[in-house]
């Protein structure tokens, strides 16, 4: 009967790992990933619930709570990748349920905060955007809903910001980098009143986008509405204006401004883009 080959001697590294991690590394990684994911979800859920229920504001408290939640999500992802590598190399299934939940769950969990952070890096540092920054629409009914002293003078397109390594005005950044500021005049030779026709098209577009209409005036060509962010329910105030563009045309202008935050991470630009694509 053939004898079994002698076992390989234990290396110093193997001994250190065995002493420091008495539990198999694969199972330890799975449990660490799962625990980090659960804790990250609990912190994020607490931040969302606290802002939604009015216990504290998104800035700074809600935002601050999302930082450790995101870091824990990254820990969960890294630990889950360690588990996956160990499971693949060893062809073993220890901790497979916790490992798979942590791997897939961390990817899903990390998408919103990381995409929010990416938008912050690639969007101008503003909270107020308009498709016509040189002559933006003004809030009327919503003006009293906005915090005292905020945007009372109207849209400030000449405010200096630093974007993409350069100092520029808000109006320049919107004109130079975003297509929402391109002229969008609509020619309607068959309409007896192009402005009125466009006004009601804008009205239906605002409804279709799910925004809450607060006030409107057909005579002024003005529609005011609000939109809330998906997770934290942060409010953006919106005003749409329809006005004449030549004898047989009309032009829509839109402005969206955050009610409380100073830097919207591109949220209001997204509202402008959604409206312009539909209209």
């Amino acid at each position: 009967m053939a004898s079994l080959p002698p076992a390989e001697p234990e290396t110093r590294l193997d001994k250190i790992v065995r002493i420091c991690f008495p539990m198999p590394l694969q199972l330890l990684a799975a449990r660490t990933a799962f625990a980090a994911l659960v804790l990250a979800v609990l912190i994020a859920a607490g931040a969302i619930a606290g802002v939604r229920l009015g216990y504290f504001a998104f800035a700074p408290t809600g935002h601050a709570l999302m930082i450790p939640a995101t870091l824990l999500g990254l820990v969960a992802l890294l630990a889950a990748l360690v588990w996956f590598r160990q499971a693949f190399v060893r062809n073993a299934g220890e901790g497979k349920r916790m490992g798979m939940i942590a791997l897939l769950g961390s990817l899903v969990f990390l998408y919103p905060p990381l995409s929010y952070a990416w938008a912050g890096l690639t969007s101008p540092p503003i909270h107020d955007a308009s498709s016509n920054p040189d002559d933006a629409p003004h809030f009327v009914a919503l003006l009293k809903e906005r915090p005292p002293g905020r945007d009372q003078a109207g849209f400030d397109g000449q405010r200096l910001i630093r974007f993409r390594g350069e100092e520029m005005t808000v109006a320049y950044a919107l004109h130079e980098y975003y297509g929402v500021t391109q002229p969008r005049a609509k020619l309607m030779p068959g309409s007896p009143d192009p402005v009125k026709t466009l006004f009601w098209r804008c009205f239906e577009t605002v409804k279709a986008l799910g925004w809450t209409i607060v006030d409107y005036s057909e005579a002024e060509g003005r529609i005011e509405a609000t939109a809330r962010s998906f997770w934290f329910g942060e409010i953006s105030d919106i005003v749409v204006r329809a006005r004449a563009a030549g004898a047989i045309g009309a032009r829509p202008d839109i402005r969206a401004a955050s009610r409380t935050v100073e830097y919207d991470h591109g949220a209001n630009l997204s509202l402008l883009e959604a409206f312009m694509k539909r209209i």
Side-chain angles (χ1 to χ4, degrees), residues 195-245:
V195 175
K196 181 178 179 180
T197 300
L198 180 63
F199 172 84
W200 289 110
R201 286 185 186 177
C202 291
F203 189 89
E204 292 301 322
T205 299
V206 169
K207 288 173 57 179
L209 289 168
W211 302 343
T212 301
I213 296 175
V214 175
D215 188 45
Y216 65 94
S217 170
E218 181 184 355
E220 299 174 17
R222 173 180 51 83
I223 304 166
E224 295 185 70
T226 59
R228 285 182 174 269
S229 63
F230 181 78
W231 291 109
F232 287 92
E234 287 296 291
I235 298 175
S236 286
D237 294 319
I238 302 163
V239 56
V240 178
R241 178 183 64 200
R243 63 179 181 178

Side-chain angles (χ1 to χ4, degrees), residues 44-137:
I48 293 170
V51 173
R52 285 277 187 174
L53 296 174
Y55 291 116
F56 46 78
F58 172 69
T61 309
H63 183 269
L65 286 172
M66 286 304 300
I67 294 175
T70 303
L71 292 176
L72 282 167
L74 290 171
V75 170
L77 178 60
L78 291 175
L81 289 174
V82 171
W83 166 81
F84 182 79
R85 182 183 183 280
Q86 287 293 109
F88 182 79
V89 170
R90 297 177 61 241
N91 194 26
E94 288 106 329
K96 61 182 179 181
R97 181 173 298 178
M98 288 184 293
M100 286 303 299
I101 292 174
L103 181 60
L104 299 177
S106 61
L107 290 172
V108 174
F109 174 82
L110 285 171
Y111 178 76
L114 292 184
S115 60
Y116 178 80
W118 175 253
L121 294 173
T122 56
S123 302
I126 61 175
H127 68 274
D128 193 351
S130 175
S131 63
N132 187 355
D134 299 319
D135 184 18

